[in-house]
Amino acid sequence: MTSYIEPLAQESTPSIIADKLRKAIGHGEFKPGAQIVEADLARKLGVSRGPLREGMQRLTQEGLLVSIRNRGLFVIDMTPGDIRDMYLAREAIERAAAFKILRDGDFETVGSALLAIVDRMVAADGDPAAIGDLDIAFHELLVRLADSPRLSRMHQTSIIETRMCIHALEETYLATDARAIEHHRLADAIRTGDVARTDELLSAHMDDAIERLVSR
């Protein structure tokens, strides 16, 4: 018989530090290209340099930080090529998730759940940061409701870079409801089970984001 009563897994200090740094990068507290000053960061976090270096090393391995010889450690600065490559991966994951939902899932329920997020986007009009967070929540929910652990894992690995891009996009939307309109069309296509339109809108949504990012 399986026992569900097991000791709680406790995160190590480097893991906690790495998670805090991911969130700081993803939410724009550390901008792309920003230098990470070890002494300052250790003081702010209230930790010694040993676990801090281990935490930063994890982010270096994940590709979020880059070490430049004789200069220090920096947040990655996504080039147009990086942006196109990241959106290429995202598009593949999200189109696969949408296809699985439309083929095997309860697409009406999924579409309605996504429309509920769109309603929150509309309500957040005038708050680009809040709309950015809801934008990410929309795409995370889309992939999660596909009920594919592998797609979810792949999506999570790119979520910090996705956050960096989506926050960078905030300044490109003159009318904050532009994102709500795009997401409403996509959610409605899923709710009505329209495979071809969903695929077309997802591709157009990604292409629009790439265009806005590389032409800033």
Side-chain angles (χ1 to χ4, degrees):
M1 179 178 175
T2 302
S3 173
Y4 295 98
I5 309 300
E6 298 174 337
L8 296 177
Q10 294 188 349
E11 285 190 274
S12 66
T13 301
S15 291
I16 295 170
I17 292 170
D19 189 51
K20 285 183 177 293
L21 290 175
R22 284 190 203 97
K23 289 176 179 172
I25 293 170
H27 287 86
E29 192 170 346
F30 289 126
K31 302 290 185 188
Q35 184 171 15
I36 303 296
V37 181
E38 187 178 293
D40 290 347
L41 192 54
R43 187 175 61 256
K44 288 178 181 175
L45 291 170
V47 299
S48 61
R49 294 194 182 192
L52 176 61
R53 285 173 182 161
E54 189 175 335
M56 292 192 299
Q57 180 61 30
R58 294 185 187 193
L59 268 65
T60 303
Q61 291 169 344
E62 293 172 13
L64 294 174
L65 297 178
V66 59
S67 178
I68 300 178
R69 191 173 183 180
N70 298 325
R71 290 188 56 199
L73 199 61
F74 295 81
V75 178
I76 58 166
D77 193 4
M78 296 185 75
T79 66
D82 292 328
I83 290 167
R84 289 190 179 92
D85 190 51
M86 195 278 286
Y87 271 89
L88 177 70
R90 266 194 65 196
E91 183 176 334
I93 294 166
E94 296 192 23
R95 287 174 72 183
F99 179 74
K100 184 172 185 298
I101 290 166
L102 292 165
R103 186 192 63 186
D104 305 330
D106 181 355
F107 52 80
E108 289 186 22
T109 299
V110 172
S112 296
L114 294 172
L115 284 170
I117 294 180
V118 175
D119 288 343
R120 291 167 60 195
M121 280 184 171
V122 174
D125 189 28
D127 186 345
I131 294 179
D133 287 340
L134 289 166
D135 187 339
I136 293 164
F138 181 101
H139 292 278
E140 286 184 314
L141 183 63
L142 170 66
V143 176
R144 187 164 70 249
L145 293 181
D147 196 25
S148 167
R150 286 167 179 79
L151 285 179
S152 290
R153 280 202 299 272
M154 288 189 285
H155 201 243
Q156 280 303 311
T157 59
S158 66
I159 203 65
I160 302 301
E161 289 177 314
T162 299
R163 283 187 183 279
M164 292 170 72
C165 289
I166 286 179
H167 285 298
L169 281 174
E170 288 168 6
E171 64 195 46
T172 72
Y173 287 94
L174 298 178
T176 52
D177 66 347
R179 279 181 286 184
I181 292 170
E182 285 184 21
H183 287 87
H184 185 279
R185 289 173 180 155
L186 180 55
D188 192 57
I190 292 171
R191 186 180 60 81
T192 57
D194 192 331
V195 177
R197 183 159 173 74
T198 298
D199 204 50
E200 177 188 348
L201 288 171
L202 256 178
S203 291
H205 183 58
M206 299 294 175
D207 288 345
D208 178 67
I210 293 170
E211 179 61 29
R212 288 173 183 273
L213 284 162
V214 301
S215 62
R216 284 179 299 156

